[in-house]
Amino acid sequence: MRVGIEIGGTFTDLICIDQGRVRVTKVPSTPANPEQGFADALKAADLDLSKIEELAHGSTVATNAVLERKGSRVLLITTRGFRDVLWIQRQNRARSYELVYRKPEPVLSRRHVVELDERIAADGSVIEPLNDAAAKEKLARAIREFSPEVVAIAFLNSYANPDHERQVRNIVLQILPEIGTMCSHEISPEFREYERFSTTTLSAYVQPVISRYLEGIQKGLRNGGFPGQVSLMQSNGGRLPATAMQKNPITALYSGPAAGVAGANLLAGQAGRKDIITFDMGGTSADVCLISNNKPALKSGTSIDGLPVRSPVLDISTVGAGGGSHIWRDEGGMLRVGPTSSGAMPGPAAYGRGGKVPTITDAHVVCGTLRPDRFLGGKSALDVAAARAVFADLAEAFECSVEALADSAIRVANANIVRAIQAVSTEVGKDPRQHTLMAFGGAGPLHAGRIAEQLGAVEVLLPRHAGVLSALGLLASQFTVYETATRKIPFNQDVRASLATALGDLEERARKRLRAAGVQGAFDVEYTLQMRYVGQAFELDVPLGQHPFDAVSEVLLRQLYEEAVAGQMNFRPGSRRPIEIVGLRCGLTAGTSEVGVTGIEGTPQRSTRSTCRILEGREFRNCEIVGWPDRGEAIKGPAIVDAETSTMYIPPNWTATLHEKSNCLIMIREGDAK
């Protein structure tokens, strides 16, 4: 028996696979106490914990700790003269046209930064040695005054020589043996001190929170007789055992969206689709990711609340356009959607829990595309009167009907999602028209058809249990680690030998990490180079792909880099400009993860065919309501498909049929074939 539990902003989803049989459970999340939502899902599924061999988990605990500033007390130790790196940040502005722009606030105050006399050069040589006695005296005083829960250590150029960080860690543990420590050379061993300092500080900030959370759920599992292993999803699309994750918890920042990508990639592969765009619309946000040849796009870093995180992550673009996203009017009189959300409590007004702000879910209830008696397979009723009531004041302000306002809000949300998809496709040289749109999450299948039309896509995949696909993705993901390093390697005839040595070191480090985490078996390896034209400020990731390492040469590397430049920037240099390698990444994946089912099968709850009247795209239209189709049965739009964990809308001029292998609805626009 294998179980995946994913905690989202609104719902907590569970999927259990027991010898090919599948059980699906969906319960409200409990943001104030996420362990409770975890326990509620297990209780609702009525599982015998003693029979669970493996449990994979994804949650928003790390994300919420940063966004809500509910992390731990962190003491940062750095090089003298670099106390203000986290506040100086960089010259660029996240919002160029905001007149009163404020830089993102770090998660600690300036008085909680301690400077030590030490200095290491960029080549790793020691300019000023660290005085152990002086450092111990200063740190003892700071720890006594501040009483930190965790200590972050980030020195200038420690990526090139970590000796001083190790020395200081030993001193800290002499003063306070039980305290947690985070060193930048372990968390993010790369150049650019602001990004490295920020990543290390954030990892320290969430580490005690993650540890307490994991200890809490593991204690509950043990008390229930669970004998197996708990693993946690990472932002890079792989997972790690929970014990290993606590050493660098910042990698779990976006575990939920990453799990959704893994689940979508699994079902797309079963459907024979290699190039897809995932579209995950839940209760709080919409997350999109581009997958080429069944390989999700990976990038070297991300950010949270404006603060950089330098760690490999799936290239997921997120917008505040979920089912619970607020609909409001801005100062200029424009209709807006998100990014604030009603979350799990109180949730949309239609949930009947006291929601007072109109949301996208309420808009669908008003427009008729969400049926009040069929929500979540008929397990939960929706309050139509409450949904209409929260639109009244806003409709009066816009001088329109409640129905017209609700329909307009849905179209605004669609436009926001289209822009997010363009950010991961057209803006990096990929044509969304050549990709299949895979829509999931509780709300994704309601919006997928119209979004595909705006993108020019001709095909959409809708999983049977779209609302819990992220939980399936937890089980579909593999054990993965990435090791990165800053290495300036001359671009010459000796480049192959230099790369072989440097990448070999990274691979060995990655193998040791996986083995230390208890992961055994055969490992798949992938290499990525960070390259740039000499004189550029930032570099591009260039995967080596399937090229045999013996074939690596100066000519091949130049070709790969110039193809990356042309694809992402639509630019081809007219001359042979000098190129340099400035960084390396090695990814190690432990074998393959067999989910054990084809899609998510079972006997769906069929509903009697009926009709209703909906408002969609500014038009009132008659719409057929159907249950999950039999194989070979075609559903012509406009139609609403009732599924257990989501509602699917088939627009006019689209036809949906059940794919024979993936157990997904495949929606094709009339006049197009693929």
Side-chain angles (χ1 to χ4, degrees):
M1 184 187 293
R2 304 175 67 208
V3 174
I5 300 178
E6 195 268 326
I7 298 180
T10 305
F11 288 102
T12 294
D13 305 327
L14 179 149
I15 182 168
C16 171
I17 300 175
D18 185 8
Q19 298 179 352
R21 292 173 300 176
V22 177
R23 205 177 314 178
V24 169
T25 302
K26 201 173 184 75
V27 299
S29 293
T30 53
N33 183 14
E35 296 99 320
Q36 186 60 50
F38 185 96
D40 290 346
L42 286 171
K43 183 178 180 181
D46 193 25
L47 300 179
D48 183 349
L49 300 187
S50 66
K51 295 182 179 180
I52 301 175
E53 296 180 5
E54 181 181 17
L55 194 151
H57 181 40
S59 81
T60 58
V61 172
T63 309
N64 293 341
V66 177
L67 294 177
E68 298 172 6
R69 292 298 195 267
K70 293 181 178 179
S72 305
R73 295 188 306 277
V74 178
L75 180 70
L76 173 63
I77 304 171
T78 190
T79 306
R80 178 172 52 84
F82 289 85
R83 181 181 192 177
D84 295 311
V85 164
L86 293 178
W87 288 267
I88 295 173
Q89 302 180 10
R90 293 204 172 273
Q91 187 175 345
N92 58 304
R93 296 161 58 127
R95 294 178 294 277
S96 301
Y97 300 104
E98 187 171 319
L99 296 179
V100 189
Y101 177 73
R102 294 176 62 89
K103 291 182 178 181
E105 284 291 330
V107 293
L108 75 169
S109 63
R110 186 175 180 271
R111 64 190 179 91
H112 296 147
V113 182
V114 176
E115 296 178 309
L116 294 182
D117 292 330
E118 69 84 39
R119 192 63 177 265
I120 289 175
D123 63 0
S125 61
V126 177
I127 298 175
E128 181 179 357
L130 179 73
N131 186 311
D132 282 11
K136 186 172 184 178
E137 180 182 354
K138 192 169 187 177
L139 293 177
R141 184 168 59 252
I143 290 173
R144 185 171 57 252
E145 292 176 358
F146 179 47
S147 299
E149 295 177 84
V150 62
V151 172
I153 307 167
F155 288 144
L156 188 69
N157 297 325
S158 60
Y159 66 89
N161 182 351
D163 286 349
H164 286 179
E165 288 193 352
R166 291 173 178 148
Q167 280 181 254
V168 170
R169 169 182 273 168
N170 291 334
I171 293 171
V172 169
L173 294 177
Q174 290 173 21
I175 300 169
L176 203 60
E178 302 301 321
I179 198 167
T181 57
M182 293 277 168
C183 292
S184 73
H185 75 273
E186 295 174 341
I187 303 300
S188 180
E190 302 178 55
F191 72 154
R192 297 197 176 98
E193 59 269 14
Y194 170 50
E195 286 75 12
R196 181 161 48 86
F197 286 18
S198 174
T199 306
T200 306
T201 303
L202 287 169
S203 194
Y205 186 68
V206 302
Q207 194 271 339
V209 176
I210 289 287
S211 293
R212 287 192 294 267
Y213 171 71
L214 290 175
E215 288 167 5
I217 65 173
Q218 287 177 312
K219 181 180 179 180
L221 289 169
R222 285 193 301 269
N223 292 341
F226 171 65
Q229 180 188 61
V230 176
S231 58
L232 210 62
M233 191 71 182
Q234 304 175 89
S235 307
N236 58 38
R239 54 192 168 104
L240 277 179
T243 51
M245 180 67 76
Q246 295 181 49
K247 296 179 180 179
N248 188 4
I250 202 65
T251 60
L253 198 60
Y254 296 119
S255 61
V261 173
N265 198 29
L266 170 75
L267 297 191
Q270 291 176 352
R273 269 59 181 176
K274 295 183 176 181
D275 299 325
I276 65 173
I277 295 172
T278 68
F279 164 41
D280 177 5
M281 186 174 179
T284 307
S285 64
D287 307 299
V288 300
C289 181
L290 182 102
I291 297 179
S292 296
N293 199 27
N294 291 128
K295 186 71 176 176
L298 194 75
K299 59 183 181 179
S300 295
T302 184
S303 66
I304 178 168
D305 204 21
L307 303 172
V309 177
R310 188 70 177 179
S311 177
V313 297
L314 294 183
D315 189 4
I316 297 173
S317 179
T318 301
V319 291
S325 293
H326 290 164
I327 299 166
W328 53 288
R329 187 174 188 246
D330 68 15
E331 296 86 345
M334 301 294 289
L335 182 64
R336 301 285 296 276
V337 174
T340 57
S341 170
S342 292
M345 290 299 295
Y351 287 3
R353 301 184 193 138
K356 302 297 183 184
V357 182
T359 67
I360 291 297
T361 295
D362 297 318
H364 280 292
V365 173
V366 169
C367 291
T369 39
L370 267 182
R371 311 304 301 166
D373 58 338
R374 294 298 304 157
F375 188 61
L376 293 181
K379 298 177 182 178
S380 179
L382 296 175
D383 189 334
V384 179
R388 293 183 61 87
V390 291
F391 277 101
D393 290 344
L394 202 58
E396 182 178 350
F398 280 104
E399 299 180 353
C400 66
S401 68
V402 165
E403 291 83 0
L405 180 61
D407 181 64
S408 296
I410 292 171
R411 289 189 288 117
V412 169
N414 287 347
N416 293 342
I417 294 164
V418 167
R419 284 195 291 272
I421 292 175
Q422 290 169 340
V424 300
S425 56
T426 50
E427 291 184 13
V428 293
K430 301 291 184 179
D431 188 346
R433 295 172 297 182
Q434 304 302 317
H435 291 71
T436 297
L437 186 66
M438 166 70 87
F440 54 100
L446 270 174
H447 293 250
R450 290 308 190 192
I451 287 170
E453 288 179 348
Q454 292 184 47
L455 292 170
V458 300
E459 187 178 83
V460 178
L461 280 177
L462 304 175
R464 153 84 181 284
H465 277 289
V468 296
L469 189 65
S470 291
L472 175 68
L474 294 169
L475 299 180
S477 62
Q478 302 161 294
F479 291 103
T480 304
V481 297
Y482 285 94
E483 286 288 341
T484 61
T486 292
R487 294 285 188 276
K488 198 164 185 179
I489 297 177
F491 206 76
N492 53 36
Q493 294 179 347
D494 298 327
V495 68
R496 183 194 305 167
S498 300
L499 283 177
T501 300
L503 290 173
D505 291 343
L506 288 184
E507 184 178 336
E508 183 57 30
R509 280 163 44 186
R511 289 181 184 276
K512 287 180 178 179
R513 281 183 59 195
L514 278 178
R515 289 178 181 138
V519 179
Q520 304 295 331
F523 298 142
D524 296 328
V525 185
E526 64 175 35
Y527 301 119
T528 301
L529 308 181
Q530 292 167 355
M531 304 172 66
R532 66 186 183 187
Y533 290 116
V534 174
Q536 277 190 308
F538 290 90
E539 57 281 345
L540 294 180
D541 286 348
V542 181
L544 286 182
Q546 301 300 314
H547 299 286
F549 204 79
D550 290 343
V552 172
S553 65
E554 181 183 1
V555 174
L556 174 63
L557 294 178
R558 177 176 290 277
Q559 176 187 340
L560 292 175
Y561 178 68
E562 291 184 348
E563 288 176 356
V565 172
Q568 294 192 35
M569 302 181 182
N570 195 26
F571 165 74
R572 290 186 180 275
S575 61
R576 293 177 61 83
R577 299 185 180 185
I579 299 171
E580 60 183 355
I581 298 170
V582 296
L584 312 169
R585 183 170 72 226
C586 174
L588 227 61
T589 302
T592 58
S593 181
E594 296 294 335
V595 174
V597 294
T598 301
I600 307 178
E601 299 179 344
T603 304
Q605 183 178 355
R606 300 299 300 273
S607 60
T608 305
R609 283 181 176 262
S610 59
T611 59
C612 65
R613 192 160 176 80
I614 66 171
L615 173 63
E616 194 271 331
R618 294 179 176 173
E619 294 183 33
F620 285 96
R621 59 180 88 242
N622 293 322
C623 181
E624 188 176 24
I625 305 173
V626 301
W628 193 253
D630 293 321
R631 298 192 185 277
E633 182 181 357
I635 303 173
K636 292 185 176 295
I640 291 173
V641 180
D642 279 332
E644 294 92 325
T645 61
S646 67
T647 300
M648 304 174 180
Y649 176 61
I650 316 298
N653 304 319
W654 290 78
T655 301
T657 56
L658 191 61
H659 191 275
E660 59 182 7
K661 293 183 178 179
S662 68
N663 203 35
C664 292
L665 279 182
I666 181 168
M667 220 166 73
I668 298 177
R669 196 166 57 196
E670 290 181 13
D672 294 304
K674 198 171 183 179

